Amino acid sequence: MMSYRAKVELLYLLGFSLDLVNMFIGSVAYSAIAADLHASVPQLAWIGNAYMLGLTLVIPLGHWLAARIGERRVLCLSLALFTVGALLAGTAPGIGWLIGWRLLQGLGGGLLIPVGQAAAYRECPPADRARLTARIMAVALLVPALSPALGGLLVEWGSWRGVLLVSVPLAVVALVLAACWIRPAVPASAPALDRRGLLLGAVGLSLLLIALSLLAEPEQRMAGAALLVVAALVLWAYARGARRTTHPVLHWSLLRHAGLRLAMLVYLLVPGTFIGTQLVATLLLHRQGYGPAAIGGFMLPWAVASACAIATTRHWLPRIGARPLLSAGMGCQAVGIALLIGVQSGQPGLPVVAFALMGLGGSLCSSSAQTLAFQGLADADLQPGSALWNLNRQLSFCLVAALLACVLGALSAVLPQRAFPLTLLLASGMTLLPLLPLWQRPAASLSPRATSHD
């Protein structure tokens, strides 16, 4: 009979799979959506960004809601809204409706990952958490590898709408399992909710993403620049208030944990950059004549290389520490992104090598970061730490994707022949930025056994 720990872990991995499916499967449908709904590049970016924005806006509520109404109710409510949002997105009549329903889908699923992840790590003894991380990374390998190829087939055999509807059956199964498996809430005192911080953070982030989208449109750049200033002021007000609040909406004090702090930076500029690069690469490969199934198929060499990276990290991280693995990972992904500049029609060898390098480099970084982020956290810090980690994770994906879409759109207007190469060079350089703080830290603080909070 399955133990409660196994049930919680399985439910979390299923929810994590849903999140990954919705991040990776949609990129291969962008060209079909653009043709059917007459969408621009920034609007295509918002199909993913709206989903990730919804996730991001509600993640800080996870710790408070779990204490207030219990984990089972939170998970069931999250999955129910996610399912409704997916159904509505799959039947959207226009690009505006599609973006709006993707936002609702993200709002529904935003509590699933941090609440489920905290529960899974809490039920897992500290000595076994590295093995749990390995299972999480296995899911993080298989789903991104298989979902784009599946999405490409759905587009070619039917419609782009199938790409959005395919997650509905999985969400229903997860909803039933959450209702049956998760134990009823144990009474607990909920921390005070920082309503002002929640509002300022949500408004500031939303304005930031909208500003980046407007900057990509030539006729909207002045409005985008003005909105960017407003967003910066709102986020500054949020940061200032958070330092003075007894119960902030996010526990930024956990950034004293060296492993969590570095892991968040790496996720922002390595996996986050890859998600943004996927949008650029999809449009570039489509321009070169590659179909959706072929574009999705390039994630298969990414998956093979990722599997090698995960096995390498599991074996060598305890022995040599994170620094050489993270350095090698950043280098591999940077080279892989740069190789995409030379992609030609009818020559799939180069994109295969490029995606393999990105898979090797990205997974060396993400698996090392995931282990370091939670290795030294106490049980009481797992829920707020999970919220902070997942907020950064979602911000990484939506902010970098919005930035690269903005750059590509702006360059396409002034340097149409150089827009793709310059955008890819920027993405390659961004991948290398964490090298400086990585090599400034003492090597001992990057060990998976380190528990200091310096």
Side-chain angles (χ1 to χ4, degrees):
M1 187 175 181
M2 188 178 294
S3 66
Y4 183 69
R5 170 185 163 184
K7 290 177 180 179
V8 172
E9 181 180 317
L10 178 59
L11 182 61
Y12 164 63
L13 293 177
L14 182 55
F16 186 43
S17 299
L18 282 170
D19 183 41
L20 292 172
V21 164
N22 278 273
M23 281 195 292
F24 283 89
I25 198 172
S27 61
V28 297
Y30 284 158
S31 298
I33 294 173
D36 189 21
L37 302 182
H38 310 289
S40 65
V41 171
Q43 287 175 324
L44 291 175
W46 267 98
I47 295 172
N49 287 346
Y51 172 74
M52 294 181 194
L53 177 60
L55 290 172
T56 303
L57 293 180
V58 296
I59 281 175
L61 286 173
H63 180 47
W64 181 81
L65 276 177
R68 189 69 179 264
I69 66 175
E71 290 177 343
R72 182 167 69 176
R73 289 180 179 175
V74 170
L75 293 174
C76 289
L77 177 62
S78 177
L79 286 163
L81 287 176
F82 177 92
T83 304
V84 172
L87 283 169
L88 293 172
T91 56
I95 187 63
W97 287 102
L98 175 57
I99 292 172
W101 296 133
R102 286 283 285 173
L103 177 63
L104 176 64
Q105 187 182 6
L107 289 170
L111 300 173
L112 183 62
I113 305 304
V115 174
Q117 180 173 267
Y121 273 95
R122 186 182 63 245
E123 295 295 326
C124 184
D128 293 338
R129 286 177 183 172
R131 295 186 181 91
L132 174 58
T133 296
R135 290 189 284 272
I136 293 171
M137 295 310 301
V139 172
L141 161 68
L142 291 173
V143 176
L146 299 177
S147 55
L150 173 61
L153 292 175
L154 289 172
V155 173
E156 292 190 352
W157 292 348
S159 167
W160 59 265
R161 298 183 185 276
V163 170
L164 298 172
L165 294 172
V166 72
S167 62
V168 173
L170 279 176
V172 172
V173 170
L175 175 58
V176 173
L177 293 180
C180 295
W181 283 355
I182 301 299
R183 291 170 181 166
V186 177
S189 58
L193 180 62
D194 179 17
R195 293 179 175 85
R196 180 179 179 273
L198 183 64
L199 177 63
L200 287 175
V203 171
L205 175 61
S206 301
L207 291 177
L208 177 60
L209 289 174
I210 293 171
L212 290 173
S213 178
L214 292 177
L215 285 170
E217 302 284 355
E219 66 278 5
Q220 298 289 341
R221 282 179 189 155
M222 290 299 295
L227 204 58
L228 189 62
V229 174
V230 175
L233 291 174
V234 173
L235 291 173
W236 172 81
Y238 162 75
R240 184 179 180 183
R243 290 195 298 268
R244 302 176 177 178
T245 303
T246 305
H247 299 287
V249 68
L250 290 168
H251 292 237
W252 297 106
S253 61
L254 290 178
L255 290 179
R256 291 176 298 177
H257 182 271
L260 179 61
R261 185 168 64 247
L262 179 65
M264 289 174 62
L265 180 64
V266 169
Y267 233 101
L268 177 65
L269 292 170
V270 183
T273 297
F274 173 71
I275 295 296
T277 301
Q278 263 204 312
L279 168 63
V280 179
T282 296
L283 297 173
L284 176 62
L285 290 166
H286 177 75
R287 174 180 288 190
Q288 296 290 346
Y290 293 92
I295 295 173
F298 288 132
M299 285 298 291
L300 295 178
W302 180 94
V304 173
S306 293
C308 296
I310 292 170
T312 299
T313 303
R314 185 176 182 181
H315 179 75
W316 286 105
L317 183 61
R319 292 168 171 79
I320 64 176
R323 181 180 288 168
L325 295 174
L326 290 171
S327 300
M330 293 175 212
C332 287
Q333 177 165 298
V335 172
I337 294 173
L339 286 178
L340 290 172
I341 297 172
V343 167
Q344 298 293 328
S345 177
Q347 299 178 11
L350 188 59
V352 166
V353 174
F355 273 86
L357 283 172
M358 288 188 287
L360 179 64
S363 291
L364 281 174
C365 289
S366 60
S367 55
S368 298
Q370 178 89 28
T371 299
L372 287 174
F374 293 98
Q375 191 70 25
L377 290 181
D379 286 351
D381 292 332
L382 285 175
Q383 189 69 260
S386 179
L388 198 62
W389 167 261
N390 282 284
L391 177 68
N392 178 78
R393 177 173 166 267
Q394 299 305 147
L395 281 174
S396 303
F397 296 154
C398 62
L399 284 178
V400 178
L403 175 62
L404 292 181
C406 171
V407 171
L408 179 61
L411 289 175
S412 297
V414 295
L415 295 170
Q417 300 302 318
R418 303 294 297 165
F420 281 101
L422 290 176
T423 304
L424 290 170
L425 282 176
L426 173 63
S428 179
M430 289 171 61
T431 298
L432 298 174
L433 289 178
L435 282 173
L436 180 60
L438 171 65
W439 283 87
Q440 287 178 337
R441 290 215 56 82
S445 70
L446 304 177
S447 167
R449 298 186 181 91
T451 57
S452 65
H453 296 261
D454 60 333

